[in-house]
Amino acid sequence: MSMHRRFAAIGLALLFLMTTSVEHALADETDTAERLTNTEPKTIQSRQTLRDPEIRVESRKLGLRRQVEMLQWERDGDGFVKVWRDAPVVSGDVQHSNPPMPKLQNAVWLASDANIDGQQVDPGVLMALGQWIRVRPGFSRVPFRWSRRFQPDGDGLSDSDNPLNPQVGDVRMFWSELFVPTLERQVILADGKWQLPGTVQLDEATVRALNRQLQDAQQRRSLRDLLSRMWTLAAFGLLTLLIVARVVLIRRARHNKARD
C-alpha cells in the first residue's frame, strides 16, 4: 500500500472513531432526557387479553368496549320516530312509552398492564388519546342463555325477529377495540407512570428542569445530526481524493513508460 493511501486510511479511521464516540456520548445523555420529556415517539404495549365476561368476546388490544342500544320512541316535532339509543328515552306519551333498558349495559375494559418501555401508562392516557374502532368479533363462545336470544346481525348481535324491520324494544350490541397511535410529545413520565401533562401536578422547579432537559436534548440531537453529516462529507471527500490520486498515479506511470 502506498504512503498516501496509508495516510488516507488512517485519517478515515480516526475520523470515524472520533465521530462515533461523540455520537454515543450524546446519544446516552439524550436518551436520558428524552425518557422524561418524550421527544421521541412512544409505543404502548400490552400482553393482556381483555374479555367481555357476559358475552365472552375477547380482544388483544388496549381496550374493549361493548355498546348496547335499544330501539325507542323519540319525540320529533309533533310526532314520534324510532331511534337507536344506548340510554333510556322518555317519550312523554303513554302510547309511545318505551320498555325498560336491558340488563346488559355499555361497558369498557382497559388493559391494566399497558406500558411504555416497562413504565405503566395511566388509564386516562388511553381514554384521552385512543381511538375506538368497531370490530366484528367471534361469537362462538356466547353462553347459551344469550345465544338463544341474540343472533349475529352485521358486526354485532341483535334480538330482532326481523333485523330488516326492527321494532321498539329490540336490542342490538356492538364491540369496539381501542387503538392508541404512537405518542410523541403527548405524555410525560411522572411518579413512575406515563401521564397526560395536564393531569400532572409539577412544581415550578421541576418544570424548569424538564424544560432545560428538553432543550439540552434537542441541542444534542442537532449536534449529533451535524456530526453525522460531517462524517458523510469527510468520507466522500477522502474517497474523492483517493480516486484523484489514483488517476494521477496512473497518468504519471503512463507518462514515465512513454518516456522510457
Side-chain angles (χ1 to χ4, degrees), residues 90-183:
V90 179
S91 65
D93 184 85
V94 176
Q95 294 183 351
H96 295 88
S97 60
N98 294 309
M101 291 290 292
K103 293 181 179 180
L104 285 174
Q105 300 293 324
N106 294 341
V108 173
W109 299 270
L110 298 177
S112 59
D113 68 339
N115 70 90
I116 298 175
D117 298 333
Q119 299 289 339
Q120 183 182 359
V121 176
D122 188 88
V125 173
L126 302 180
M127 295 300 293
L129 304 180
Q131 179 182 5
W132 291 103
I133 299 179
R134 182 175 291 183
V135 295
R136 189 185 191 283
F139 298 119
S140 60
R141 302 182 61 191
V142 178
F144 176 73
R145 67 190 183 100
W146 295 115
S147 64
R148 65 181 180 179
R149 174 181 172 183
F150 291 93
Q151 301 297 326
D153 179 12
D155 291 335
L157 297 177
S158 169
D159 66 354
S160 299
D161 293 333
N162 181 4
L164 298 178
N165 184 29
Q167 302 299 313
V168 170
D170 287 353
V171 177
R172 65 183 184 183
M173 292 182 288
F174 300 101
W175 285 263
S176 301
E177 292 178 328
L178 184 65
F179 293 81
V180 180
T182 300
L183 304 178

Side-chain angles (χ1 to χ4, degrees), residues 194-208:
W194 290 100
Q195 305 180 52
L196 296 172
T199 63
V200 180
Q201 299 297 325
L202 299 177
D203 55 47
E204 186 176 351
T206 303
V207 172
R208 288 198 300 269

Side-chain angles (χ1 to χ4, degrees), residues 16 39 42 121 149 165 184 241:
F16 175 78
T39 58
K42 305 293 182 182
V121 176
R149 174 181 172 183
N165 184 29
E184 184 175 6
L241 288 176

Side-chain angles (χ1 to χ4, degrees), residues 25-93:
L26 291 174
D28 292 339
E29 295 182 6
T30 302
D31 290 341
T32 301
E34 287 175 349
R35 191 168 180 269
L36 293 175
T37 55
N38 189 33
T39 58
E40 286 290 336
K42 305 293 182 182
T43 302
I44 302 180
Q45 299 177 340
S46 171
R47 295 184 177 181
Q48 186 176 358
T49 299
L50 301 176
R51 293 180 177 86
D52 180 332
E54 279 112 356
I55 309 301
R56 297 181 183 173
V57 166
E58 296 185 351
S59 173
R60 294 297 302 273
K61 303 303 180 182
L62 295 170
L64 177 65
R65 182 178 68 179
R66 179 180 68 209
Q67 186 174 0
V68 182
E69 299 177 343
M70 186 175 73
L71 191 63
Q72 304 179 62
W73 288 112
E74 186 174 81
R75 185 176 292 276
D76 182 23
D78 295 333
F80 293 87
V81 294
K82 299 176 182 179
V83 292
W84 291 101
R85 293 286 184 261
D86 61 358
V89 175
V90 179
S91 65
D93 184 85

Side-chain angles (χ1 to χ4, degrees), residues 4 237-251:
H4 74 277
L238 287 174
L239 180 61
T240 302
L241 288 176
L242 288 175
I243 295 175
V244 172
R246 178 64 177 170
V247 172
V248 171
L249 288 176
I250 292 175
R251 289 183 176 179

Side-chain angles (χ1 to χ4, degrees), residues 1-11 242 245 249:
M1 180 182 292
S2 62
M3 187 63 65
H4 74 277
R5 290 185 180 180
R6 291 179 181 177
F7 281 123
I10 293 173
L242 288 175
L249 288 176

